[in-house]
Structures are given as structure tokens and as C-alpha cells.
Amino acid sequence: MKRHAKLRSRKAGLPAGSLVHLGEVRMATPTMHLLEYDPEGLEERELGNKDQVLNLERRRQVLWLNVYGLHDAALMAAIGQRFKLHPLVLEDILNTDQRPKVDDYGDYLFIVARLYASAPEGGALTSDQVSIILGPDFVLTFQERPLGAFNALRERLRGNRNQVLRLGADYLAYSLLDTLVDRYFALVEEFSDRAEDVEEVILDKLRPGLIQDIHWIKRQVTALRRSIWPLREVLNTLQRSHGDFFRPETQLYLRDVYDHTVHLLESLEDLRDLLTGLLDIYLSTVSNRMNREIRALTVVATVFMPAGLIAGIFGMNFHHMPWLDEPHGFALSLALMGTIASVMLGIFLRRRFTS
């Protein structure tokens, strides 16, 4: 929370639409990859600076411009000028702490989603903001760094093995959203496997740090749920309220992605219930183990209490006490202690097996 407050303080006093990057700089130099296609073919090239963006000439029916690195405000201004983007859109792209949403700006849609990378063992789950702008014949994507999320989609386009080439920009936007949702499935499966491993350890043999593992998985699941829940609303809005941007055949695919997000949320709810149950099982197991140990210590202490009593009695400083002058007094006292302890131990064992 303190970090977010410091980041937002950089915009204090500035007018709405000011291009100020808020977030971590994850690439030293932004890169731009341009991909244009139509049913007849596909062309790719890299753009090196803002002048190439301003002087960009269309060669194919559909254009896909992907930008890695969001801290260069001048470059973002050039992209906004070339594609006639509203300053508020550019401001939201540069603010990398946005929640998933969709905004309609008349000539194009602005969509924000979150892209998560696999979390290291014990580390925090990191996410990057992915901004998607869908126009009539173009798609713009903005990412904080290259994570390879859309590489498979590019390979399908290059191999002409996908109907993206035929269906246009709206289907490309659907494919991007579908790829992001598929990444969520991989993370949910990863955390489910980790939860099952924790469950096996709890039922087999407890080890130190197990409760930290449970809480760590719960935190990651909560972070995923915070991103998937608004993304579900985004997809619901896209398929119901933006028929001008998505053709009927593409809306069917959007409905399928929406169903996937519902499935993800249900899986996360099940996983969260499982983790809550594991936490209860862990606490119950620890409590039962402690009760057994205390019970064993209590039995040992109770068995040796008569021996302590007898030793205390014979240790009193009186001149005349029984067995002090007996040659076998020490052996008799030990025998008495052992007999009482054996009788008490037998009583405890009998009550344990009969109760």
C-alpha cells in the first residue's frame, strides 16, 4: 500500500490524461513488433522509434502492434497520435496497477487484463498488466515485458494454421484473451498440485513450515481470484454489449472464454475450501499430537509420583523409622516403588484398551 501511494503521488497536481509512468520499469528500452496480415499473407517487422510509428503505412488488412516496455511517455504519445487514442487511454496504459476492465471509446475498445508468471517456491506471484486496444481493423497490445504469452499465437499465424487470418481483428482480440485465460488454467493446476502435495504430507507426517506453505498457496489463490473475477465481467460485457466490434461468430468464441473464467472461479473456490480444510486438519493434527504427548507425560509423572512420595518419606530426618535398620530395607523400598508403579501402569493400560 505504501508503494502504491508513493507511485500515485507522482501524479499529484497533474491534469487528467498526463502521461506519467506508474509502476516498475521492467525493460531498459521499449521494443515494438508489428504484424500485418490478411487472407493472402502475413508480414512482420520491428519498429525502432516513435518516428517509424508516426510514419507507419498500412500494408495488409489487419494490423497488430505489440509494445514491450511502458515507461517511455514520448513513444506512447506517438502511438496515441498515430491511432487517435484518447489521452485517458494512454494514461491507463502507463498506470500498470489497473484492475481488469473494458472501456468503449466509440471507435475502439480499451481492455485491461493481468498476466501472471509462475511463482517460485515461497515467492510472491508476480503479474504484469496487458492492455489491448481493439479497433475496426487493428489491435494494439501493451505489455510490461516479454513473457512469451502470445508466442504460440504468433506461430499459428506464421504457419497459416489458424483462422485468425480469415476472421479479422475481432477474432485476434478474442485469441489474445483466450491465451490469457489459458495461462490462468496452468496456474490453477500448479497450485492444485501443490495443495495435494501438502495434503499428503499432513496425512503422512508433519514437517516444520507446513502451515507457511498453506498460507502461501492461499495468498496466491486470492491474488488470482482478484484478477479473474473482474475479467469475467469484462468478457460478459464484451459478448453482450459490444456487437459493433465483435461479429456474431466471434461472440460465440467469447462466450466460450467467459465459460472458462466461470470454471476458473469455481476451481479457485474449491481450492480455497480445500486449503481451509487442510489448515483445519493441520491444526487438529498438531493438537492431537500435543494431547498424546501430554497424556504420555502425565502417565509417566503419575506412575513415578508414589516413588517420589516413598523416597520423600524415607528421606525425612527422624532417628526412628521403619526399615532404616533392616539389612534389606533399601531393596524392600525399591520393590514397593516398583510394585505400585506396575499396578498403576496396568490400570492405565487396561483403561486405555477398554475405553
Side-chain angles (χ1 to χ4, degrees), residues 68-233:
Y68 292 123
L70 308 179
H71 59 278
D72 192 338
L75 177 60
M76 291 299 163
I79 295 175
Q81 181 180 346
R82 174 60 181 82
F83 292 95
K84 298 179 175 58
L85 303 180
H86 196 281
L88 291 178
V89 173
L90 300 176
E91 180 185 24
D92 287 345
I93 293 173
L94 290 173
N95 182 3
T96 59
D97 193 32
Q98 300 284 329
R99 78 190 291 269
K101 66 175 184 176
V102 55
D103 292 331
D104 189 345
Y105 283 87
D107 295 332
Y108 55 87
L109 290 179
F110 174 55
I111 304 169
V112 176
R114 307 297 304 183
L115 174 62
Y116 283 87
S118 297
E121 188 68 33
L125 191 66
T126 59
S127 70
D128 289 21
Q129 178 172 300
V130 178
S131 302
I132 302 173
I133 297 177
L134 170 62
D137 56 357
F138 67 88
V139 174
L140 310 178
T141 53
F142 301 87
Q143 303 180 62
E144 298 184 58
R145 55 182 169 170
L147 293 176
F150 302 138
N151 288 345
L153 177 59
R154 292 190 182 92
E155 290 300 324
R156 292 200 302 269
L157 286 170
R158 292 170 185 143
N160 197 17
R161 301 189 303 271
N162 195 283
Q163 56 184 340
V164 182
L165 294 176
R166 179 174 56 86
L167 292 181
D170 59 336
Y171 191 84
L172 174 60
Y174 146 75
S175 300
L176 295 171
L177 292 171
D178 183 57
T179 301
L180 293 175
V181 172
D182 288 342
R183 298 270 296 200
Y184 283 115
F185 273 109
L187 288 173
V188 172
E189 291 175 2
E190 176 184 345
F191 293 134
S192 297
D193 292 340
R194 294 189 181 186
E196 291 177 0
D197 294 339
V198 171
E199 183 179 19
E200 292 178 0
V201 173
I202 291 177
L203 298 179
D204 182 23
K205 185 178 180 180
L206 295 180
R207 60 172 174 80
L210 199 59
I211 191 169
Q212 286 84 357
D213 294 342
I214 297 175
H215 282 295
W216 178 82
I217 300 175
K218 288 190 70 174
R219 286 196 300 270
Q220 313 317 312
V221 168
T222 301
L224 282 179
R225 189 176 181 275
R226 281 200 302 264
S227 294
I228 297 176
W229 188 271
L231 181 59
R232 186 192 70 166
E233 299 304 318

Side-chain angles (χ1 to χ4, degrees), residues 206 281-291:
L206 295 180
I281 294 174
Y282 173 83
L283 296 176
S284 298
T285 304
V286 171
S287 178
N288 290 335
R289 174 177 292 186
M290 183 178 296
N291 289 337

Side-chain angles (χ1 to χ4, degrees), residues 102 109 111 132 134-135 139 169-175 177 234-235 237-254:
V102 55
L109 290 179
I111 304 169
I132 302 173
L134 170 62
V139 174
D170 59 336
Y171 191 84
L172 174 60
Y174 146 75
S175 300
L177 292 171
V234 167
L235 291 167
T237 303
L238 289 177
Q239 67 165 329
R240 292 180 179 272
S241 304
H242 297 291
D244 295 339
F245 292 94
F246 293 95
R247 291 171 292 181
E249 56 267 32
T250 307
Q251 289 181 355
L252 294 176
Y253 292 104
L254 282 175

